[in-house]
Amino acid sequence: MPELPEVETTRRGIDAVITGKTLRRLVVREARMRWPIPPDLPGLLSDRAVLECARRGKYLLLRFEHGTQIVHLGMSGSLRSVPAGETPRKHDHVDWIFDHAVLRLHDPRRFGAVLWHPGDAGPVSAHPLLARLGIEPFDPRFDGAWLHSQFRGRSISVKQALLAGDAVVGVGNIYASESLFRAGIDPRTPARRISLARCTRLADMVRATLADALASGGSTLRDYVGASGQPGSYFEIHAAVYERAGQPCRVCGTPIRRLVQGQRATYYCPACQRR
């Protein structure tokens, strides 16, 4: 699944292309996404200018004067710039057509979303998909004290607490495993047992891991590609634990282990990561 670095990389790519430009047409070839694309959406957006390309968690927010389009890339989706007139491929479901560019949403599993939040419905932050999201990892308020307060009383594992998205958004499965390794914390540890000092270390490592991934354009462990159509490279080369079960730890040489938590694979070093 595209995680925060992939989504932010996409946001930066399309922001440079479409912000301040007029959307001429929205072409919907397949409306049956995770939630159906509103049938009146093409008419609402025709000849309207994009004022801002923002992001909240893993959601892209295309702001227009009269509302905001909410776009999610689902499990395997991508939003990229394509040449005008390029023949759509299978699973190319939506085009945003500008005078100078075409953005195309490719989503083989159709788990993504293209929704509309009208301006008269209030701030987009109040939309049901966004209202309960946690703090952004690059928000200055995100630190060890914040994590410690959010973990208090929670008996679920620290890995699952990170994935839940109510304490901090965007720390998906790949980056949770990597952040916990960097922080030296066993992913099975109950969240409530993580001390303030270890929460501080974990918050720092979450931010550092995401920043490193963002600097390299995200991960190529999935079929993710950015807005330019180019894949990222960070975790293909530098993953410390993710998808390395049985291989030696890059720090101590102990074989990396794999377990399943909440139906998601977790990778960790049993020597470097303590409960």
Side-chain angles (χ1 to χ4, degrees), residues 117-252:
H117 182 81
D120 58 13
V124 70
S125 59
H127 189 280
L129 291 174
L130 308 179
R132 296 186 180 182
L133 294 181
I135 198 170
E136 292 281 338
F138 297 111
D139 189 307
R141 297 172 296 168
F142 176 64
D143 58 14
W146 173 268
L147 268 188
H148 194 248
S149 69
Q150 298 298 305
F151 287 172
R152 187 175 296 122
R154 303 183 71 170
S155 59
I156 62 172
S157 73
V158 62
K159 165 78 178 310
Q160 290 174 291
L162 286 176
L163 291 183
D166 52 359
V168 57
V169 295
V171 189
N173 200 44
I174 297 172
Y175 303 112
S177 287
E178 294 295 315
S179 298
L180 287 164
F181 173 77
R182 289 186 176 195
I185 297 173
D186 189 304
R188 300 167 293 181
T189 309
R192 57 181 169 80
R193 288 183 49 195
I194 308 296
S195 67
L196 175 58
R198 299 185 87 194
C199 279
T200 298
R201 174 72 175 167
L202 179 56
D204 289 344
M205 293 303 100
V206 163
R207 188 179 292 108
T209 300
L210 293 175
D212 286 348
L214 181 58
S216 295
S219 168
T220 58
L221 290 175
R222 297 291 186 266
D223 52 1
Y224 161 75
V225 294
S228 65
Q230 297 299 312
S233 59
Y234 174 67
F235 279 95
E236 178 184 35
I237 302 170
H238 296 296
V241 292
Y242 193 80
E243 290 195 342
R244 297 191 65 245
Q247 298 181 44
C249 172
R250 299 189 193 277
V251 174
C252 71

Side-chain angles (χ1 to χ4, degrees), residues 18-40:
I18 69 172
T19 296
K21 307 299 183 181
T22 298
L23 176 63
R24 296 305 180 189
R25 286 194 297 140
L26 182 73
V27 177
V28 179
R29 283 181 288 273
E30 175 58 81
R32 297 172 298 170
M33 306 290 282
R34 185 174 182 180
W35 298 281
I37 298 175
D40 60 344

Side-chain angles (χ1 to χ4, degrees), residues 10 13-15 17-18 23 25-27 29 53 62 78-82 94-98 101-105 227:
T10 298
I14 66 175
D15 178 57
V17 174
I18 69 172
L23 176 63
R25 286 194 297 140
L26 182 73
V27 177
R29 283 181 288 273
C53 293
L62 308 185
S78 63
L79 182 60
R80 62 191 182 93
S81 179
V82 300
V94 183
D95 283 356
W96 287 257
I97 300 176
F98 298 81
V102 176
L103 295 183
R104 181 162 289 167
L105 177 64

